């Protein structure tokens, strides 16, 4: 009997070591250029954990991790997995290139009161985020700077972060601050970015004081020129609104050739359901500027 009990304890211990709080995610393969090829939820979470494993005092190692490049090779289903936003904090922000190759992120459920929450947490510098679809099966409820795609971004003095061809279909709610479909907010004094060809269809709900927007919840920086929201459109309900600032809240901004099917009189040109169905919206978006992105 005593040996049986000891064996049971040993088996329980082995099970805890293999299935406990420390996840054994799968490391994705890299191509000849060192770009991670992510095709499963486990590989995505390995990448997030790798990027987020920076430590104070390891500048060289942190640079390698934060500037890692990756592509999605398939749709990623996060059902049953608590996603770790890529870019762990404002001290260690993602600074690489991530290409979703038009694949979907599904069942990403974020429900907490933390700041800087989304598929990415904190992004900076010359990062390029493109071709990612946050599926309607996703849901984000968080603290200040909540978004489907990126919680917060901050650019260096010469940085020009680019977010291209991305879609948010998820409902996003901030319980304490700003919320948006694409970027929650830019860090004050360090926000210069280009958001081109992006779409929001999710319901965006900010906390009090008019803190919801379709594409960017807040940014203000006069030192590097106007940040851009170009060739975008919104099909989602936004509440509460900051006057007519439906796409981009803040200052030193440029909103061009962008369309809104929900909010009349906002920053976007109002577009009807008939215009969408007929293909007119597609035609109008294709007339927008793309130079310099």
């Amino acid at each position: 009997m005593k040996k049986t009990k000891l064996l049971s304890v040993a088996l329980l211990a082995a099970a805890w070591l293999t299935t406990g709080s420390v996840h054994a995610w799968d490391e994705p393969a890299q191509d000849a250029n060192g770009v991670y090829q992510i095709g499963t939820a486990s590989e995505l979470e390995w990448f997030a954990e790798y990027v987020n494993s920076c430590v104070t005092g390891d500048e060289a190692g942190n640079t390698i991790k934060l500037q890692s490049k990756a592509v999605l090779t398939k749709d990623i289903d996060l059902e049953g997995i608590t996603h770790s936003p890529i870019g762990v904090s404002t001290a260690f922000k993602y600074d690489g290139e991530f290409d979703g190759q038009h694949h979907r992120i599904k069942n990403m459920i974020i429900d907490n009161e933390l700041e800087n929450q989304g598929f990415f947490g904190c992004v900076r510098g010359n990062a390029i985020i493109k071709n990612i679809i946050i599926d309607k099966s996703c849901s984000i409820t968080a603290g200040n700077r909540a978004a489907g795609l990126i919680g917060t971004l901050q650019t260096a003095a010469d940085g020009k972060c680019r977010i291209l061809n991305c879609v948010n279909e998820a409902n996003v709610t901030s319980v304490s601050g700003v919320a948006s479909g694409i970027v929650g907010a830019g860090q004050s004094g360090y926000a210069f970015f280009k958001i081109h060809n992006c779409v929001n269809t999710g319901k965006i709900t900010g906390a009090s004081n008019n803190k919801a927007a379709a594409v960017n919840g807040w940014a203000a920086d006069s030192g590097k020129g106007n940040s851009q929201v170009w060739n975008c459109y919104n099909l989602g309900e936004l509440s509460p609104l900051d006057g007519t600032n439906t796409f981009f809240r803040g200052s030193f901004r440029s909103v061009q050739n962008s369309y809104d099917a929900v909010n009349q009189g906002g920053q976007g040109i109002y577009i009807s359901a008939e215009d969408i169905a007929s293909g007119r919206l597609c035609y109008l978006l294709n007339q927008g500027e793309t130079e310099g992105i």
Side-chain angles (χ1 to χ4, degrees):
M1 180 67 71
K2 186 174 181 180
K3 288 183 178 179
T4 302
K5 288 183 177 179
L6 288 174
L7 178 61
S8 297
V9 170
L11 290 173
L12 286 171
W16 182 87
L17 287 172
T18 56
T19 63
S21 59
V22 178
H23 294 285
W25 304 121
D26 295 324
E27 181 176 353
Q30 293 175 277
D31 68 9
N33 297 314
V35 179
Y36 287 101
Q37 309 291 299
I38 297 173
T40 67
S42 183
E43 291 174 347
L44 174 64
E45 295 311 306
W46 181 95
F47 182 80
E49 190 173 88
Y50 172 71
V51 171
N52 294 347
S53 63
C54 297
V55 294
T56 302
D58 184 16
E59 184 175 350
N62 293 340
T63 297
I64 292 172
K65 293 176 180 178
L66 295 172
Q67 294 182 351
S68 299
K69 296 182 179 181
V71 299
L72 298 182
T73 61
K74 297 179 181 178
D75 291 351
I76 303 297
D77 191 340
L78 292 168
E79 185 172 6
I81 294 175
T82 300
H83 173 63
S84 296
I86 301 166
V88 69
S89 69
T90 55
F92 298 116
K93 299 175 284 291
Y94 182 66
D95 195 21
E97 183 173 338
F98 196 107
D99 185 352
Q101 298 193 125
H102 307 290
H103 290 295
R104 289 179 174 269
I105 303 298
K106 299 179 178 180
N107 294 306
M108 178 180 70
I109 308 300
I110 296 175
D111 188 2
N112 56 54
E113 296 185 5
L114 300 175
E115 297 183 340
N116 310 322
Q117 297 292 292
F119 182 70
F120 296 90
C122 302
V123 172
R124 77 176 299 271
N126 288 302
I128 300 174
I129 311 297
K130 60 185 180 180
N131 306 324
I132 301 172
I133 303 170
I134 305 300
D135 187 76
K136 63 183 179 180
S137 60
C138 300
S139 174
I140 296 89
T141 299
N144 193 22
R145 298 182 292 273
L149 188 66
I150 300 170
T152 190
L153 60 83
Q154 177 188 33
T155 55
D158 59 348
K160 192 180 294 182
C161 185
R162 288 170 285 173
I163 300 98
L164 312 173
N165 314 322
C166 291
V167 177
N168 174 63
E169 299 176 352
N171 292 338
V172 180
T173 300
S174 172
V175 298
S176 61
V178 297
S180 182
I182 304 299
V183 175
Q187 282 189 265
S188 180
Y190 295 93
F192 181 35
F193 52 83
K194 295 185 175 185
I195 301 176
H196 287 211
N197 309 327
C198 289
V199 179
N200 175 67
T201 67
K203 179 179 180 181
I204 309 300
T205 307
S208 59
N209 301 323
N210 313 322
K211 293 182 176 178
V215 174
N216 179 69
W218 175 262
D221 188 351
S222 61
K224 308 172 187 66
N226 289 334
S227 291
Q228 298 175 356
V229 171
W230 289 6
N231 309 338
C232 296
Y233 70 91
N234 174 59
L235 303 180
E237 179 183 341
L238 313 173
S239 176
L241 284 174
D242 180 6
T244 61
N245 297 320
T246 50
F247 275 80
F248 187 156
R249 294 181 64 248
S251 55
F252 305 102
R253 64 199 173 192
S254 173
V255 179
Q256 295 187 25
N257 200 49
S258 294
Y259 300 86
D260 195 327
V262 179
N263 305 282
Q264 295 191 51
Q267 291 166 317
I269 300 167
Y270 182 71
I271 197 84
S272 69
E274 290 76 12
D275 288 327
I276 297 172
S278 69
R280 181 169 180 263
L281 174 59
C282 182
Y283 171 81
L284 292 170
L285 289 168
N286 284 332
Q287 309 311 303
E289 294 286 339
T290 57
E291 183 177 358
I293 64 171

